[in-house]
Amino acid sequence: MPELPEIETICQGIIPHIVDKKIKTVIIRQSQLRWPVTEDLARLLSQQTIKSVYRRGKYLLLQTAHTVDHPVGHLLIHLGMSGNLRILPATTQINKHDHVDIIFEDGSCLRYHDPRRFGCILWTTDNPDQHPLLVNLGVEPLMASFNASYLAQRAAGKSIAVKNWIMNSQLVVGIGNIYANEALFLAKIHPLQPVKTLNFDDCQRLVTAIQQVLQQAILLGGTTLRDFTDSQGKAGYFQQELAVYHCQGEVCKRCQTGIIQRLMINQRASFFCPVCQPHP
DNA sequence: AAAAGGACCTGGTGGC
DNA sequence: TGCCACCAGGTCCTTT
């Protein structure tokens, strides 16, 4: 389900509902996610307060504390391919795949739902930036450190296809299959182009395109292909803006000439306009 | 070292 | 209707 814009949407959506709230208990109905959910989360989190919520790549981090001045830990949440978080009254009917509830003293609940169970919920009392899952993450695409110079420098000598390259979270975080396709279309770069053949202008256009597509998607509340919703259960509207993703066979919205093509690259469906994005 | 492939899961869809 | 193959928003681990 979720790439950076969807995670950001959920992050902003849950902040007003959980920050400064005290946790009453945690219910784990299914602990077997990508990694086992910490068994005694209820004991560890009971009576703690959520002090802040932020996003790093596709991870959500919930900082908890007994008091304002003494942070004691972070909950790392990843939604995998099919995960979602909802804010609900704790009494709301449980559905299939509702694996974890974080229940607050005021009767509200942060409910984790994930049919495929590729996501995770992990607890750490260490510096989360040094956590094995976060420590090797690359730059945030909407920050200044993500720029043409950075890309050009990292591209040198590499033969990897540009689409796979920008989906590598050790280079830049948050770009999944939808936005990789859309950004390459905007930048007019063929998804199979080897990155060592990108010139500085290509890198500049790629940076601009990635930022533009992510920002626009955040503005529209993310992309709902099948089942993505925000923390209130509302669908996103960016799917209406998709220019190439799942558009194979359609006439290109930009040049009105090319027919959008689909091909598999590293087992992921890829879409492009053969006129706007000529093969290198 | 870099790049590609496999694995982990469930559910939806379309063909026969 | 049933069965089956294939596809899906991610990413770690293994193999080449």
Side-chain angles (χ1 to χ4, degrees):
Chain A
M1 169 209 313
E3 303 182 34
L4 186 149
E6 290 75 36
I7 304 301
E8 184 64 26
T9 297
I10 290 172
C11 184
Q12 296 307 320
I14 64 176
I15 282 175
H17 294 95
I18 69 171
V19 170
D20 289 334
K21 281 202 184 160
K22 192 185 271 187
I23 297 168
K24 185 160 127 194
T25 191
V26 178
I27 297 173
I28 302 171
R29 297 184 197 83
Q30 167 62 276
S31 64
Q32 298 307 299
L33 304 185
R34 171 125 199 198
W35 292 286
V37 181
T38 313
E39 288 288 340
D40 51 351
L41 264 190
R43 184 183 62 78
L44 292 166
L45 291 181
S46 176
Q47 298 306 305
Q48 296 220 37
T49 299
I50 307 276
K51 293 319 297 179
S52 66
V53 179
Y54 61 101
R55 178 191 60 72
R56 173 77 174 103
K58 296 173 186 166
Y59 288 90
L60 282 170
L61 290 93
L62 279 53
Q63 186 196 26
T64 67
H66 282 296
T67 70
V68 179
D69 300 323
H70 298 87
V72 296
H74 287 82
L75 209 52
L76 311 187
I77 303 178
H78 196 288
L79 301 179
M81 198 83 121
S82 58
N84 202 4
L85 286 171
R86 294 284 300 276
I87 300 287
L88 299 161
T91 52
T92 307
Q93 173 79 43
I94 304 302
N95 290 318
K96 200 172 181 184
H97 309 302
D98 285 345
H99 302 316
V100 178
D101 281 358
I102 296 172
I103 298 171
F104 298 96
E105 297 252 292
D106 70 353
S108 64
C109 167
L110 182 68
R111 181 165 290 173
Y112 178 90
H113 173 94
D114 185 4
R116 294 178 74 178
R117 290 189 273 123
F118 288 170
C120 64
I121 299 177
L122 299 172
W123 169 252
T124 178
T125 51
D126 296 331
N127 177 356
D129 296 336
Q130 296 304 310
H131 190 279
L133 291 172
L134 303 186
V135 70
N136 290 317
L137 291 180
V139 299
E140 285 287 334
L142 298 178
M143 295 186 72
S145 46
F146 181 61
N147 54 50
S149 300
Y150 172 75
L151 281 190
Q153 175 240 318
R154 292 284 300 257
K158 294 200 169 70
S159 58
I160 190 174
V162 62
K163 175 163 180 270
N164 294 331
W165 189 55
I166 61 173
M167 289 175 69
N168 177 359
S169 63
Q170 296 197 12
L171 176 78
V172 54
V173 296
I175 303 166
N177 202 34
I178 295 178
Y179 300 109
N181 280 296
E182 294 297 315
L184 289 168
F185 171 76
L186 271 187
K188 300 189 178 181
I189 296 170
H190 192 286
L192 283 175
Q193 181 158 349
V195 300
K196 62 185 172 194
T197 68
L198 295 172
N199 61 31
F200 193 83
D201 183 58
D202 293 329
C203 292
Q204 183 57 67
R205 291 202 316 285
L206 194 49
V207 167
T208 304
I210 287 169
Q211 294 182 335
Q212 191 179 321
V213 74
L214 294 179
Q215 277 164 348
Q216 180 69 4
I218 291 170
L219 213 58
L220 295 181
T223 299
T224 300
L225 287 184
R226 170 172 287 143
D227 55 6
F228 169 75
T229 63
D230 69 11
S231 59
Q232 304 298 310
K234 197 158 102 4
Y237 290 97
F238 189 77
Q239 67 276 16
Q240 296 164 22
E241 310 289 313
L242 296 175
V244 289
Y245 189 83
H246 282 182
C247 295
Q248 66 271 30
E250 296 176 18
V251 175
C252 173
K253 292 174 170 65
R254 178 167 50 201
C255 70
Q256 302 288 329
T257 306
I259 304 295
I260 305 304
Q261 304 292 304
R262 175 187 190 273
L263 81 162
M264 295 301 272
I265 304 176
N266 260 28
Q267 347 219 51
R268 307 303 297 272
S270 307
F271 307 86
F272 65 99
C273 170
V275 176
C276 295
Q277 300 160 270
H279 197 285

